[in-house]
Amino acid sequence: GRGGGGAMESAGKGGFVLANLAEVVERVLGFLPTKALLRAACVCRLWRECARRTLRTRQRIAWVSALEPGPGDSHALVRALARELEKVHVLPQTVLYIADAETFSGHEECHEQKKARKRNSKETALALEKLLPKRCQVLGLVTPGIVVTPMGSSSNQPQEIEEGEAGFALLFPKIDGVKIHTFHFSKDVKNRVFDESKFAEAGLKNNPDLRVVLLFGYNSWKTGATRFLHQIVNPLNEKSIILAGGQVESFTSLTSE
């Protein structure tokens, strides 16, 4: 009789463990960075469902910051992003990165020929984008000076960098109720009047959900550039939105037209 009782008791314990298994798995998976979590999701249905629930809770913006005194074989931001994406708790859907102009498209040592080779900014942009998920929207900007917020403690003060390699990337995951839409306007030499339909396409016109616009101008030294910028900024000033941005040296993203 005792033996049977023991068997029933252990079955009860087993049932209890199984009933709470999902909670245990979810708790353990919660400690994993996203890339490892996606790999764990392939194990079985239970792990996949737990991984999905865990991913839904990760809707925080992450940032990657890079700062190196001298140039390496690849740009500091490429190296930092490759390192941090393995640890990051969210895979981005949209990325905005800003890098310093001098080293992003500056010189690098070519060990085979022992002479400096001009580093192509498109090569660096492509290297950055290869690290990111395929469907990720990427907006890349290059500026002469850069303000970098170091990783780690939030008490770390931002630093203004003028020499050496520097850059940062903001990684936006899929966030419920938030839609990020990238747009690109280029000045049409023939038409002096800005095409209003482009505003609607970019989601800047007749859009009650519009809250924030980040606007970056480049090639701003060209004739009519200021007027062109005013044609974009003035209609936005009438709305109750946050409008921010500035002039940058160049625009490098390959995911944008």
Side-chain angles (χ1 to χ4, degrees):
R2 279 184 196 170
M8 279 177 74
E9 196 180 312
S10 66
K13 277 183 182 174
F16 176 77
V17 170
L18 282 170
N20 290 273
L21 189 59
E23 198 180 317
V24 174
V25 170
E26 209 166 313
R27 183 78 193 271
V28 172
L29 292 184
F31 292 105
L32 294 178
T34 301
K35 280 196 170 182
L37 184 61
L38 291 172
R39 285 192 284 268
C42 301
V43 172
C44 64
R45 187 184 292 171
L46 174 69
W47 283 34
R48 185 166 63 248
E49 284 168 7
C50 291
R52 274 183 188 160
R53 279 197 293 272
T54 305
L55 283 168
R56 279 194 208 111
T57 64
R58 297 182 177 179
Q59 297 198 329
R60 291 190 305 271
I61 296 165
W63 86 90
V64 173
S65 185
L67 177 59
E68 295 284 342
D73 53 345
S74 60
H75 192 275
L77 187 56
V78 177
R79 298 198 297 278
L81 193 63
R83 196 169 56 240
E84 292 303 321
L85 271 176
E86 288 299 322
K87 294 186 250 173
V88 88
H89 263 239
V90 65
L91 280 183
Q93 196 174 54
T94 307
V95 170
L96 167 68
Y97 72 81
I98 300 185
D100 71 297
E102 197 178 325
T103 63
F104 195 85
S105 48
H107 288 84
E108 65 175 317
E109 287 295 322
C110 190
H111 300 296
E112 292 160 20
Q113 294 161 356
K114 290 192 176 176
K115 63 177 182 180
R117 175 175 87 89
K118 190 95 167 91
R119 182 192 275 162
N120 184 330
S121 60
K122 284 286 182 200
E123 278 176 33
T124 314
L126 189 57
L128 274 167
E129 288 177 18
K130 272 186 176 172
L131 296 170
L132 297 162
K134 281 181 183 173
R135 291 178 188 172
C136 193
Q137 292 187 103
V138 185
L139 182 64
L141 307 166
V142 176
T143 62
I146 193 163
V147 174
V148 169
T149 304
M151 308 277 287
S153 166
S154 56
S155 62
N156 283 345
Q157 290 296 306
Q159 298 170 23
E160 194 169 341
I161 311 299
E162 288 184 13
E163 286 180 15
E165 291 191 341
F168 70 84
L170 291 172
L171 314 177
F172 297 90
K174 185 179 180 183
I175 302 174
D176 291 340
V178 175
K179 188 183 177 190
I180 299 172
H181 190 68
T182 56
F183 62 88
H184 181 234
F185 297 148
S186 54
K187 183 172 173 280
D188 190 344
V189 185
K190 296 170 194 170
N191 300 331
R192 286 185 65 80
V193 182
F194 186 76
D195 184 359
E196 288 290 319
S197 66
K198 288 182 181 176
F199 254 79
E201 278 173 38
L204 301 175
K205 193 178 179 183
N206 304 329
N207 182 356
D209 298 326
L210 187 64
R211 294 288 177 271
V212 178
V213 176
L214 287 179
L215 188 66
F216 299 97
Y218 63 102
N219 285 350
S220 54
W221 45 268
K222 289 189 174 176
T223 9
T226 314
R227 187 174 165 274
F228 175 67
L229 199 61
H230 279 297
Q231 285 180 319
I232 298 165
V233 171
N234 290 346
L236 295 171
N237 272 336
E238 296 164 12
K239 297 185 173 68
S240 55
I241 57 165
I242 295 168
L243 180 60
Q247 302 286 3
V248 298
E249 189 161 299
S250 60
F251 175 81
T252 63
S253 171
L254 301 177
T255 63
S256 171
E257 291 167 14

